[in-house]
């Protein structure tokens, strides 16, 4: 009888141990924004080969280890940035994202900090091995990721502009690396910047009261709700103007032309939703814009496959 009881307890302990370790692993992935990093990695590879890399063949690109090293450093830096951001936003996340915070609680915060330092060191070490210029590039990137979480995320307007700029920073680096400066690329960068800015402001609208309670000075907190709506709608209208400029003046074609043309209707839908000031309409607007960014990556991939491979 005792033997059966001990066996049952042993199995129960192993089961709990496996669940605990799995929860720790999932908590780390969520805390490090692993899935965001995964999406950005995919976007970087697609944009690098099909947009910035104008001359290399696919085989040369595959064996361009310097590019792979830069993208690797970018991914590691993004993971480190996600960790340090959740460290500073922990109290806010307890209210805004209780389920995610609960999962992350399986790992002590000191281990997140150890992981942050390790990832930072790995990224800078690989960057130094590539070149001193790449090292300086990632040193600046990592500093501003930390400084954004530490200070800039609480400053009006600066928080939104810094967040979007840090998201686009690796793409700017690839553009400089390949020296791909053209009207089309610049307009596409402006288009993406505006959409990401709208996403960040709408997200702030959904967390308005929590941000105010924890001392984050955001556009929805500083301005009235109606003024915030006007700001976002104005940005969406400018985004539409950029889309029309891309279609009419840059000779863009294929899937990307359909993407920017379809984007006009997406922007109109978002404006319509924003005119309804309910929380549900803001939530739909946020996810529609996020989905449209993902659609843009797929459209670029399909466009590149059609014309380059």
């Amino acid at each position: 009888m005792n033997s059966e009881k001990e066996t049952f307890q042993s199995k129960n302990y192993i089961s709990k141990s496996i669940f605990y370790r799995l929860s720790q692993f999932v908590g780390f992935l969520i805390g490090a924004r692993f899935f965001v990093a995964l999406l950005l990695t995919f976007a970087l590879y697609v944009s690098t080969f099909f947009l910035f890399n104008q001359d290399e063949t696919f085989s040369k690109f595959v064996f361009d280890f310097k590019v792979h090293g830069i993208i690797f450093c970018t991914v590691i830096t993004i993971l480190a940035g996600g960790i340090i951001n959740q460290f500073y936003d922990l109290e806010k996340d307890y209210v805004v994202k209780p389920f995610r915070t609960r999962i992350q609680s399986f790992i002590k915060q000191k281990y997140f900090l150890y992981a942050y330092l390790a990832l930072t060191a790995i990224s800078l070490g690989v960057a130094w091995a590539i070149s001193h210029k790449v090292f300086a590039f990632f040193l600046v990137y990592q500093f501003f990721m930390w400084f954004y979480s530490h200070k800039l995320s609480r400053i009006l307007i600066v928080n939104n502009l810094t967040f979007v700029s840090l998201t686009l920073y690796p793409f700017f680096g690839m553009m400089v690396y390949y020296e791909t400066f053209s009207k089309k690329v610049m307009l596409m960068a402006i288009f993406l910047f505006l959409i990401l800015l709208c996403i960040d402001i709408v997200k702030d609208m959904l967390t308005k009261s929590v941000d105010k309670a924890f001392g984050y000075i955001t556009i929805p907190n500083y301005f009235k709700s109606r003024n915030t709506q006007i700001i976002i709608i104005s940005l969406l209208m400018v985004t539409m103007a950029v889309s029309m400029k891309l279609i009419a003046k840059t000779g863009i074609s294929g899937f990307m032309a359909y993407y920017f043309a379809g984007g006009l209707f997406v922007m109109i839908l978002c404006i319509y939703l924003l005119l309804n000031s309910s929380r549900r309409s803001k939530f739909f607007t946020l996810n529609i814009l996020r989905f449209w960014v993902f659609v843009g990556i797929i459209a670029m991939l399909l466009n590149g496959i059609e014309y380059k491979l």
Side-chain angles (χ1 to χ4, degrees):
M1 188 73 177
N2 287 334
S3 177
E4 290 180 1
K5 186 177 180 181
E6 286 175 3
T7 303
F8 174 77
Q9 287 177 340
S10 177
K11 288 181 179 179
N12 193 36
Y13 174 78
I14 292 170
S15 177
K16 285 183 178 179
S17 178
I18 293 172
F19 174 76
Y20 184 75
R21 295 301 178 190
L22 181 62
S23 299
Q24 283 185 315
F25 179 68
V26 173
F28 176 77
L29 293 181
I30 293 173
R33 311 290 200 273
F34 175 78
F35 301 104
V36 174
L38 203 62
L39 179 62
L40 281 172
T41 304
F42 177 59
L44 265 174
Y45 269 110
V46 170
S47 60
T48 298
F49 183 66
F50 293 116
L51 185 62
F52 304 134
N53 179 10
Q54 301 292 326
D55 302 317
E56 283 185 348
T57 62
F58 182 71
S59 59
K60 285 184 178 180
F61 177 75
V62 168
F63 292 101
D64 191 342
F65 295 109
K66 189 173 182 179
V67 172
H68 297 309
I70 292 171
I71 293 177
F72 173 78
C73 290
T74 300
V75 176
I76 297 299
T77 301
I78 290 168
L79 291 173
I83 290 172
I84 200 65
N85 185 254
Q86 71 86 27
F87 179 79
Y88 280 101
D89 288 351
L90 187 62
E91 291 183 345
K92 174 185 167 183
D93 287 345
Y94 268 119
V95 180
V96 179
K97 303 164 184 174
F99 177 75
R100 194 181 80 178
T101 309
R102 174 60 181 163
I103 295 294
Q104 289 172 215
S105 68
F106 283 96
I107 303 178
K108 293 179 180 179
Q109 285 300 302
K110 67 176 182 179
Y111 294 119
F112 274 115
L113 286 178
Y114 294 155
Y116 167 73
L117 293 173
L119 291 170
T120 299
I122 291 169
S123 176
L124 291 178
V126 174
W128 180 268
I130 296 171
S131 78
H132 294 169
K133 289 182 179 179
V134 174
F135 174 81
F137 177 85
F138 281 101
L139 189 64
V140 171
Y141 192 24
Q142 291 189 1
F143 170 77
F144 276 102
M145 275 204 163
W146 166 80
F147 196 50
Y148 166 78
S149 299
H150 177 64
K151 187 68 67 176
L152 300 180
S153 61
R154 297 174 183 268
I155 301 175
L156 178 67
I157 298 175
V158 173
N159 47 19
N160 302 111
L161 295 177
T162 306
F163 176 80
V164 176
S165 298
L166 286 172
T167 304
L168 295 178
Y169 187 81
F171 297 91
F172 173 75
M174 281 301 182
M175 186 175 71
V176 172
Y177 177 77
Y178 282 105
E179 298 181 353
T180 311
F181 302 99
S182 66
K183 184 178 181 181
K184 181 176 78 172
V185 172
M186 292 307 297
L187 284 173
M188 289 174 71
I190 293 169
F191 174 87
L192 184 56
F193 182 91
L194 290 169
I195 283 195
L196 292 175
L197 186 58
C198 290
I199 288 172
D200 203 42
I201 298 173
V202 174
K203 180 169 62 69
D204 288 341
M205 291 177 76
L206 290 169
T207 59
K208 180 180 176 180
S209 57
V210 179
D211 285 332
K212 189 174 182 179
F214 287 99
Y216 292 82
I217 306 173
T218 62
I219 288 174
N221 277 329
Y222 190 82
F223 299 101
K224 294 179 180 178
S225 295
R226 179 154 183 85
N227 290 335
T228 303
Q229 281 182 323
I230 292 170
I231 290 169
I232 299 174
I233 289 171
S234 300
L235 288 171
L236 289 171
M237 291 178 71
V238 173
T239 307
M240 290 173 66
V242 173
S243 295
M244 289 187 285
K245 188 83 172 175
L246 272 161
I247 296 167
K249 300 294 184 180
T250 63
I252 201 166
S253 58
F255 288 97
M256 290 306 294
Y258 292 122
Y259 172 74
F260 288 112
L264 298 175
F265 297 100
V266 171
M267 299 303 124
I268 291 170
L269 174 61
C270 289
I271 290 171
Y272 172 76
L273 288 170
L274 286 169
L275 291 174
N276 179 354
S277 57
S278 70
R279 182 179 178 82
R280 189 178 180 182
S281 66
K282 294 169 190 171
F283 178 78
F284 279 134
T285 302
L286 176 65
N287 286 289
I288 287 169
L289 290 174
R290 283 174 171 171
F291 176 71
W292 198 243
V293 171
F294 176 73
V295 171
I297 300 169
I298 301 301
M300 188 184 299
L301 174 64
L302 294 175
N303 200 78
I305 291 171
E306 182 180 4
Y307 288 100
K308 193 166 184 176
L309 295 183

